[in-house]
Every structure is written in structure tokens, then in C-alpha cells.
Amino acid sequence: SLEIMDSVEEVDFYQSVFGMAKKNITELFVEVDGPAKQEFWTLYDEYEVARKELGKTRLKLLNAYAENYMTLDATKTDELITAMATQKKNLDKLIVKYYKKMKKSAGVKPAAQFYQLENWLLSAIRLEIMENIPFIGEM
């Protein structure tokens, strides 16, 4: 059977992949000073709450895939792929939404750094997940 992050929190997953908490990575990468700093981090924390909710959905979908992998029929496969595509689209929209908010309150540079880092982290996490699950029909 496949093992996907069933008991591991997404936060712990970031920690295990990158060796530090996600917010610590962001603090190292994003350059924001002065009065904009507090506004940026307030928005970042707000973003993280929403992102973690979407992360829970992603984990549920991955676990559903893992639990049903050996018995997936065309209907269930289509349902999972459609749900995964929707979850990905929602996360991409969320990143853009917060890029715009951060740009307005903290400036273009920190907002752009946030956008770039979020997409990089997301790509790395997606790759880590994809390397640990079989492609459909592989087993």
C-alpha cells in the first residue's frame, strides 16, 4: 500500500523537506522593512491560514488516491483528477490574491519575492509528493 502524509501535518512536511519552518524560509527570502513590515507579515499570516485549509484538501485528495489506487476505475480517477485540478487552481488564485494585497500595502519587491518564493516552494513540495506516489497504471 502507498504511504502518503496521513498523520504528518503539512507544516511538518515543509520542515522535513526544507529543514526549517516555512515562515522562517520566507523571513530569510523576503526583504521588507519599515512600516510596511508589520502589514506584510499580517497579510502573510492571513494567507497561511487560507493556504493551510487548501493544503488539508490536497492531503485528503492524496490520501484518497493512495487508499483507492489499486481499485481506481475511470469515474473515480476522473473525480480525483478534477478535484486536484480545482485545488491547484484555487491555490494559484490565492497566491495572486495575496500578491496584490501585499503589493498594495508593502510594495512590489516584497510582494514579488513572496510570489516567487511561494511558487518555488509549491513546486518543490509537488515534486516531493510526485516522487513518492506511482503514476496511474504504474503498479
Side-chain angles (χ1 to χ4, degrees):
S1 84
L2 300 175
E3 287 184 34
I4 301 208
M5 303 163 280
D6 49 6
S7 62
V8 179
E9 294 275 333
E10 189 182 47
V11 172
D12 296 330
F13 188 56
Y14 273 93
Q15 180 84 26
S16 71
V17 173
F18 299 110
M20 67 175 76
K22 185 174 181 290
K23 189 168 184 175
N24 296 120
I25 297 167
T26 305
E27 288 170 338
L28 291 172
F29 188 77
V30 175
E31 299 169 15
V32 59
D33 294 309
K37 188 172 187 172
Q38 184 174 349
E39 184 65 22
F40 175 87
W41 290 109
T42 298
L43 287 170
Y44 179 82
D45 291 340
E46 187 182 293
Y47 162 79
E48 278 292 284
V49 170
R51 184 195 60 77
K52 286 176 186 175
E53 281 305 308
L54 289 174
K56 288 178 188 176
T57 302
R58 177 175 56 194
L59 291 179
K60 285 179 188 170
L61 290 169
L62 287 169
N63 284 323
Y65 176 74
E67 289 165 10
N68 298 293
Y69 177 78
M70 297 302 284
T71 58
L72 283 176
D73 60 15
T75 302
K76 187 65 178 173
T77 301
D78 186 52
E79 287 172 9
L80 281 170
I81 295 298
T82 301
M84 287 176 187
T86 299
Q87 190 276 341
K88 181 181 182 299
K89 184 169 49 175
N90 289 341
L91 185 52
D92 289 341
K93 281 183 186 176
L94 184 69
I95 294 170
V96 171
K97 175 183 174 182
Y98 277 88
Y99 165 76
K100 290 176 181 176
K101 286 183 172 195
M102 290 169 176
K103 177 177 74 170
K104 192 173 185 180
S105 66
V108 171
K109 184 178 179 183
Q113 289 172 327
F114 159 80
Y115 179 86
Q116 185 178 29
L117 181 62
E118 282 302 308
N119 280 288
W120 185 86
L121 289 170
L122 193 54
S123 296
I125 290 293
R126 285 176 177 157
L127 180 60
E128 184 74 18
I129 291 168
M130 294 308 292
E131 286 178 347
N132 288 291
I133 62 172
F135 279 88
I136 293 169
E138 186 177 23
M139 289 181 109

